[in-house]
Amino acid sequence: MGLSGQHGAQAWTQKPDYKTYKSPYGPGYSINKNFHGIDLGRATRFGITAGSFGAVAGIFALFFFSDVPKVRKDIMQKIPIFGDQFDRSVPPSDNPF
């Protein structure tokens, strides 16, 4: 049961140095420019998705840490519309001291 001859694709063969035939009657197509298989459209979609996830993660982190006094005073109170909601000062009438 010996094998002889060439069977299938060989791992160490060189590619032929001639171009493949393109029929003048076939469809006119071109390959988009890409970087490791990622073209401009796919990179744009990936950028929008990554930016969206980053924005949501940033907003979550901001509201998660909003009870930390430094974050509340330096960041959250300076938001134009919602800044007054993060003011935790105690009125003098409610202060027991």
Side-chain angles (χ1 to χ4, degrees):
M1 273 240 158
L3 297 175
S4 62
Q6 295 182 2
H7 300 290
Q10 301 297 318
W12 301 107
T13 58
Q14 292 181 347
K15 292 183 178 181
D17 57 350
Y18 55 85
K19 296 270 188 182
T20 57
Y21 176 73
K22 184 175 178 181
S23 172
Y25 304 108
Y29 63 90
S30 63
I31 298 172
N32 293 335
K33 294 184 186 271
N34 62 60
F35 180 73
H36 293 285
I38 300 173
D39 61 347
L40 184 61
R42 185 173 289 186
T44 303
R45 281 183 286 170
F46 175 73
I48 290 171
T49 303
S52 300
F53 275 105
V56 169
I59 291 170
F60 168 76
L62 201 61
F63 281 104
F64 185 77
F65 292 112
S66 67
D67 286 333
V68 176
K70 183 82 171 164
V71 174
R72 184 176 52 229
K73 184 177 179 184
D74 291 346
I75 299 172
M76 300 303 281
Q77 287 182 356
K78 294 181 182 177
I79 297 174
I81 297 172
F82 301 111
D84 296 335
Q85 294 180 2
F86 294 101
D87 187 18
R88 300 276 199 270
S89 60
V90 178
S93 60
D94 291 339
N95 193 353
F97 301 108

